[in-house]
């Protein structure tokens, strides 16, 4: 009890004080010898207290492998990890009391009811909210007497989330929290994440939905090939990536000068012509001026700033360089 | 979902911010859920609770009050209680919950690995101890004596429960799924029962068999419950402790070896 209080004050909890998570040079290897596979290859990650950070990446980018180490479920093969100022494995008890984890796949006994499952989880927590409150929080109150095996996928996910938040955590890990949820449930989860942030809690989540990351997160961390390749706000990440102007292919040549705009060679001969530019406004003005003067109609005209999605897809398509020597799939059942 | 207070517990100063967690509370809370699961599934219930009581029926069949019948019936009660509620039940529970990712989920929380394992073993061990407790008046009602040395009987029950619980965790480590458990459980069950076949096996193998849990249980029931040695000679209460030492050590060695094997090989996630 005394040591707990000491570590708490030493780690400096409370919104806006330092990093809730600090990771340096994290590496994680599965298997040994020739079959070894390095899923995480030197990750640095800081999650400031009281913020929402989204970890993005294609399947196999290393998101879950990274998350498992930070959660204290897996051991790193290299690097350092501090969670709430503590070591997630050595200081397990002190860390677990203050964190809530939602795994990528929910794990429940189908023969227990919703209430029994919640009560089981409640019994393991130091500072739980009441079972009824936790279930109400995720609209499961009316389903309390139903067996878990009879729940829909979305209900099961909400029950899992109810367990995650039952211990009133100050740091929450959510591995794909909205995968498989209907749009309404997804929006309710978003409200909970915003509520956690407003209450001063810290959230680290992974998601496949870019709009979800853009809407919820203060910071994005994009992983690829076991490394973090881009970090920042959605705007910062898209910054420097070219904007695009697209229209149906014309039967005549475009002017040489488009204020820095260049036709994307990949669109040659295609039904749609794509012009890339770092200065969307100038290039669009030049294009529209030319079209007016030449009395050309640009059918299906579409102009857009660089988006997170474009950056993401560019990263996903980029050469996976040193991953091609990976001899086998990682030795973990759900991918790295 | 409108007015939910999501303030972290550690930020609050209210009374509910005081941690109320304890190892006992966590283990009992999880064990309670495991007990519900054991009772709810009719198949596991029959195997875990009804099966061990069946040998008591032998007392009705044999000559009333005959010691040989009593020793055989009560040894079988203990052995079946070790095999079904403790070993087989725990083996299939561990494999099933591992494959359902329940174990992985529990490990994200405050409960430690040891607490999670203890909570799984507890219901089966409780059934074993209850079966032994029920057998005392049941056997007495059917003309058998009360245990001569209750301490030896209790020690035998606790040690055999511990040994078979550890064997269950170890077997689970190399059992692919719940169906495979029917096969992977065979070696341990065979080792368990072979000891009670001492009498019909060649004399050469008998020194080896003495170190099996089955033979140890047989000896302990003879000495602790009936106060007699392998040849039927009476053993006094005072001598019964010394006479029980070797079989008790046998069970303890099985428990320690099985526990260290289990600790080395425990798997918490489905086998790939």
């Amino acid at each position: 009890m005394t040591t707990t209080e000491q570590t708490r004050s030493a780690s400096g909890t409370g919104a806006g004080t330092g990093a809730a998570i600090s990771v340096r040079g994290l590496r994680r290897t599965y298997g040994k010898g020739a079959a070894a596979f390095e899923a995480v290859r030197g990750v640095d990650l800081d999650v400031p207290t009281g913020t929402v950070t989204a970890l993005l990446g294609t399947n196999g980018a290393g998101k879950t492998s990274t998350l498992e180490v930070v959660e204290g479920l897996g051991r790193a093969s290299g690097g350092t990890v501090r969670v709430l100022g503590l070591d997630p494995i050595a200081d397990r008890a002190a860390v677990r009391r203050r964190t809530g984890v939602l795994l990528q796949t929910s794990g429940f006994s189908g023969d227990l009811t919703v209430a029994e499952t919640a009560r089981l989880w409640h019994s393991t927590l130091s500072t739980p909210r009441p079972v009824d409150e936790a279930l109400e929080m995720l609209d499961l109150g009316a389903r309390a007497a139903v067996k878990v095996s009879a729940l829909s996928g979305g209900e099961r996910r909400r029950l899992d989330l109810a367990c995650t938040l039952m211990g009133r955590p100050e740091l929450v890990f959510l591995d794909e929290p909205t995968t498989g949820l209907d749009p309404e449930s997804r929006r309710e989860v978003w409200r909970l994440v915003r509520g956690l942030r407003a209450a001063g809690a810290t959230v680290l989540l992974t998601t496949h939905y870019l709009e979800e990351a853009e809407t919820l997160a203060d910071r994005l961390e994009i992983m690829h090939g076991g490394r973090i390749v881009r970090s920042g706000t959605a705007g910062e990440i898209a910054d420097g990536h070219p904007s695009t102007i697209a229209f149906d292919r014309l039967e005549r040549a475009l002017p040489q000068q488009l204020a820095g705009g260049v036709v994307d060679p990949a669109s040659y001969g295609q039904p749609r012509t794509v012009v890339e530019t770092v200065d969307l406004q100038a290039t669009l003005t030049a294009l529209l001026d030319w079209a007016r003067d030449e009395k050309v109609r640009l059918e299906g005209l579409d102009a857009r700033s660089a988006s997170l999605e474009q950056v993401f897809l560019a990263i996903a398509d980029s050469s996976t360089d040193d991953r091609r020597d990976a001899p086998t799939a990682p030795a973990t059942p759900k991918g790295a | 979902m409108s007015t939910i207070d999501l303030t972290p517990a550690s930020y609050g100063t209210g009374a509910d911010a005081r941690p109320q967690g304890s190892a006992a509370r966590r283990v009992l809370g999880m064990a309670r859920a495991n007990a519900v699961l054991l009772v709810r599934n009719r198949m596991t219930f029959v195997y875990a609770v009804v099966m061990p009581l069946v040998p008591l029926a032998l007392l009705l069949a044999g000559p009333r009050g005959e010691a040989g019948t009593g020793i055989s019936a009560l040894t079988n009660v203990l052995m079946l209680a070790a095999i079904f509620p403790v070993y087989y039940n725990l083996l299939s529970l561990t494999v099933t919950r591992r494959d359902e990712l329940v174990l992985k989920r529990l490990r994200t929380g405050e409960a430690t690995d040891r607490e999670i394992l203890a909570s799984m073993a507890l219901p089966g061990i409780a059934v074993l101890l209850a079966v032994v407790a029920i057998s005392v008046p049941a056997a007495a009602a059917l003309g058998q004596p009360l245990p001569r040395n209750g301490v030896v009987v209790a020690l035998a029950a606790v040690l055999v429960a511990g040994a078979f619980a550890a064997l269950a965790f170890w077997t689970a480590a190399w059992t692919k799924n719940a169906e495979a458990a029917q096969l992977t459980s065979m070696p341990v069950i065979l080792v368990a029962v072979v000891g009670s076949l001492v009498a019909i096996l060649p004399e050469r193998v008998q020194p080896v068999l003495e170190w099996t849990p089955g033979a140890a249980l047989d000896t302990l029931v003879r000495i602790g419950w009936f106060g007699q040695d392998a040849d039927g000679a009476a053993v006094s209460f005072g001598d019964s402790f010394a006479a029980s030492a070797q079989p008790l050590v046998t069970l303890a060695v099985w428990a320690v070896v099985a526990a260290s094997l289990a600790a080395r090989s425990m798997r918490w996630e489905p086998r790939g």
Side-chain angles (χ1 to χ4, degrees), chain A residues 25-32 35-43 55-69 75-78 223-229 320 322-323 325-336:
Chain A
L26 175 67
R27 308 187 86 84
R28 194 169 178 204
T29 306
Y30 295 92
K32 281 186 183 126
F37 172 79
E38 194 170 37
V40 182
R41 311 175 163 214
V43 162
L55 203 52
L56 298 170
T58 45
N59 285 327
K63 303 187 297 290
T64 298
S65 285
T66 302
L67 214 51
E68 281 181 354
V69 175
R75 281 187 185 274
S77 25
M223 283 193 80
H224 186 59
R227 295 191 179 90
I228 288 177
V229 291
T320 48
D322 48 2
R323 278 173 68 85
D325 59 352
T328 50
T332 181
K334 267 160 302 310

Side-chain angles (χ1 to χ4, degrees), chain B residues 74-83 85-87 121-136 147 149-166 213-214 216-222 224-225 244 247-252 254-255:
Chain B
L74 290 165
T75 304
N76 280 320
V77 165
L78 265 165
M79 190 38 90
L80 291 190
I83 291 175
V86 179
Y87 178 69
L122 261 186
I125 291 176
V127 169
L128 178 143
L129 297 177
V131 163
V132 174
I134 290 169
S135 299
V136 173
N149 187 337
V151 177
V152 166
V153 173
L155 276 175
V158 169
L159 284 175
V160 83
F164 280 82
L217 264 188
D218 183 78
T219 311
L220 290 169
V221 168
R222 276 174 202 278
W225 203 306
S244 323
L248 285 175
V249 167
T250 302
L251 291 180
W254 276 90

Side-chain angles (χ1 to χ4, degrees), chain A residues 50-95:
Chain A
T51 66
V52 177
T53 295
L55 203 52
L56 298 170
T58 45
N59 285 327
K63 303 187 297 290
T64 298
S65 285
T66 302
L67 214 51
E68 281 181 354
V69 175
V70 182
E71 291 162 348
L73 292 177
R75 281 187 185 274
S77 25
T80 57
V81 177
R82 303 301 282 177
V83 175
L84 300 168
L86 303 165
D87 181 325
I89 290 181
D91 306 315
R92 185 182 183 282
V95 173

